[in-house]
Amino acid sequence: MKKEIKIAVALSGGVDSATTAALLKEEGYFVAGFFMQNWSTPIDQRGFCPAVADVATARMVANQLKIPFYVLDFEEDYYKKVVKPFLEDYKKGLTPNPDVLCNKFIKFGRFLETTQKLGFKKIATGHYALIKEKDDIFHLYRGIDKSKDQSYFLWTLTQKELKFTLFPIGGFYKKEVRAMAKKRGLVNADRKDSQGICFIGPIEVSQFLQRFLPKENGPVRDENGKILGYHQGIWFYTIGQREGLGISGTSEPLYVAYKDISTNSLYVVPRNHPWLFAKEFKVRDVSFVQTVPKEALRVEVVIRYHSQPHPALLSLKNGEFFLTLDEPAWAVTEGQSAVFYNKDELIGGGVIDRVLRTRK
């Protein structure tokens, strides 16, 4: 009976997780809500910390649904597994994705492990993605609502996690989820979606970095090495960035194409410059939803959230994975995720490690 199956729902305070809990309870499952306390430090000078409002809203939702509610303190793990690597990668000139780390180590790591020890059979989250089981094999797909699809951030999930995971709203559009929440009178039915860094809140990445990494001025150079201006710290910029470069008076917009850590220099070029395009790159920390392919595999690779997929060949050379795109892609960025798809099915992914592009 469903009543005997205990499901731990990750309640974030948002409408997606609240609707997830409501739907599962209506289906007859024993549901409990859990709020993951991962960050409690104020994110601005006013002392504002979004976690205070988030946990209060999550508790109200649980009370409204008449389900048990618990707060799990994962702050230490979150700092060690997400924030610290995030900052270390930026120091190296990379552009990491904290949401991927958060999913791997916190939501589908500590949360899953902790709730299993408490006797829960499955966890459920408000992710816009789909899990389908066939012949005891779990498949992961993009959510129905492509504008909200979050599968890009879930490429580290394997059979180990998927067999214990539910994504109840993955088959709905966002407007349908809000409508379901309003129909049920959920207190957060009209609450705005969270923005910013995973579990930290509505703060720009550059603002967050400035709290932990020092400003270190350096030259902004053109392709010939001419100094056009000065930046505030090489780790505050990413490949393809145009804004905030500290330069003006150029004949056309310029974009970051190369970060030289050894000289603390940013190199900027026009948008269609060859330095900004790449066709081949190495990926590390590769993970597959099912099994590791034994031969080269045709995939569609997504190199940044909500970007168009690129047809590519995934190959293994001397124990390392490489992606060769059919056509060059713009601003392939080391540290970001490269996620492999077969149409709407997520095959796996990895971290862009070394881009083979033309430059000085």
Side-chain angles (χ1 to χ4, degrees):
M1 294 178 62
K2 287 185 176 180
K3 287 185 179 180
E4 299 174 355
I5 300 177
K6 299 173 67 176
I7 300 178
V9 177
L11 284 181
S12 65
V15 66
D16 297 328
S17 60
T19 306
T20 293
L23 292 175
L24 289 172
K25 185 183 179 185
E26 289 171 11
E27 287 183 29
Y29 293 104
F30 174 87
V31 175
F34 289 81
F35 181 85
M36 287 171 263
Q37 181 71 56
N38 298 319
W39 190 264
S40 61
T41 306
I43 63 173
D44 62 21
Q45 295 178 343
R46 300 171 298 165
F48 172 71
C49 178
V52 175
D54 290 343
V55 69
T57 304
R59 192 184 304 276
M60 286 191 289
V61 168
N63 288 339
Q64 186 177 11
L65 295 176
K66 294 181 172 56
I67 62 174
F69 180 73
Y70 307 92
V71 177
L72 300 175
D73 182 0
F74 291 155
E75 284 201 55
E76 185 176 346
D77 284 297
Y78 184 78
Y79 184 81
K80 288 180 180 179
K81 299 291 188 178
V82 181
V83 178
K84 188 176 179 181
F86 174 71
L87 296 174
E88 289 174 346
D89 277 355
Y90 264 102
K91 286 181 182 179
K92 298 173 185 175
L94 306 176
T95 304
N97 195 317
D99 296 276
V100 172
L101 295 176
C102 185
N103 282 331
K104 179 179 181 178
F105 294 111
I106 305 301
K107 294 177 186 174
F108 302 95
R110 281 299 311 280
F111 178 56
L112 176 57
E113 294 165 4
T114 300
T115 54
Q116 284 181 330
K117 290 178 181 177
L118 293 173
F120 288 85
K121 297 297 183 183
K122 289 182 180 287
I123 62 171
T125 71
H127 281 92
Y128 285 87
L130 291 167
I131 299 172
K132 297 179 182 180
E133 181 185 0
K134 183 178 181 181
D135 299 327
D136 294 324
I137 300 295
F138 292 85
H139 301 258
L140 182 59
Y141 294 85
R142 289 187 174 100
I144 294 296
D145 190 339
K146 298 301 186 289
S147 68
K148 291 294 181 180
D149 170 54
Q150 294 169 302
S151 63
Y152 176 82
F153 303 109
L154 300 172
W155 61 264
T156 63
L157 300 190
T158 65
Q159 297 298 296
K160 178 183 176 183
E161 295 83 25
L162 291 176
K163 68 189 296 185
F164 299 113
T165 300
L166 299 173
F167 296 144
I169 65 169
F172 297 100
Y173 287 87
K174 180 72 178 197
K175 62 182 181 181
E176 294 178 305
V177 172
R178 284 207 181 274
M180 288 188 286
K182 290 179 181 180
K183 181 180 179 180
R184 290 160 176 76
L186 297 181
V187 294
N188 59 350
D190 292 314
R191 196 178 191 214
K192 291 183 178 180
D193 292 342
S194 60
Q195 302 291 331
I197 302 172
C198 177
F199 275 117
I200 292 180
I203 182 173
E204 293 290 336
V205 171
S206 59
Q207 291 178 280
F208 182 75
L209 291 174
Q210 287 173 17
R211 297 183 53 185
F212 296 92
L213 302 178
K215 290 186 177 181
E216 194 171 308
N217 294 344
V220 178
R221 303 176 184 271
D222 66 13
E223 61 182 302
N224 299 312
K226 178 183 177 181
I227 296 178
L228 304 177
Y230 291 88
H231 62 76
Q232 295 185 327
I234 204 167
W235 30 73
F236 301 136
Y237 305 86
T238 188
I239 302 300
Q241 182 172 334
R242 175 186 169 188
E243 304 294 335
L245 299 180
I247 57 177
S248 60
T250 57
S251 60
E252 58 185 320
L254 299 176
Y255 301 80
V256 175
Y258 176 47
K259 300 194 286 187
D260 189 339
I261 298 292
S262 63
T263 63
N264 193 31
S265 298
L266 279 182
Y267 284 83
V268 295
V269 296
R271 196 183 195 287
N272 291 322
H273 194 283
W275 287 6
L276 277 168
F277 291 85
K279 194 173 181 179
E280 185 176 8
F281 50 92
K282 175 178 172 287
V283 285
R284 59 176 167 84
D285 302 332
V286 176
S287 176
F288 292 93
V289 174
Q290 297 177 34
T291 57
V292 179
K294 296 180 179 179
E295 55 187 30
L297 184 68
R298 291 291 303 177
V299 298
E300 293 177 319
V301 60
V302 176
I303 59 173
R304 66 176 59 83
Y305 185 46
H306 275 335
S307 69
Q308 290 298 311
H310 297 270
L313 182 69
L314 176 66
S315 56
L316 187 61
K317 303 175 184 178
N318 299 319
E320 297 180 325
F321 283 96
F322 287 83
L323 278 162
T324 304
L325 309 182
D326 289 2
E327 299 292 337
W330 190 80
V332 181
T333 305
E334 291 160 348
Q336 282 287 288
S337 293
V339 184
F340 325 139
Y341 291 88
N342 177 12
K343 297 181 179 178
D344 280 337
E345 183 173 5
L346 193 154
I347 305 300
V351 177
I352 300 172
D353 186 45
R354 180 162 52 86
V355 179
L356 306 177
R357 60 161 62 90
T358 303
R359 61 178 174 234
K360 66 189 290 291

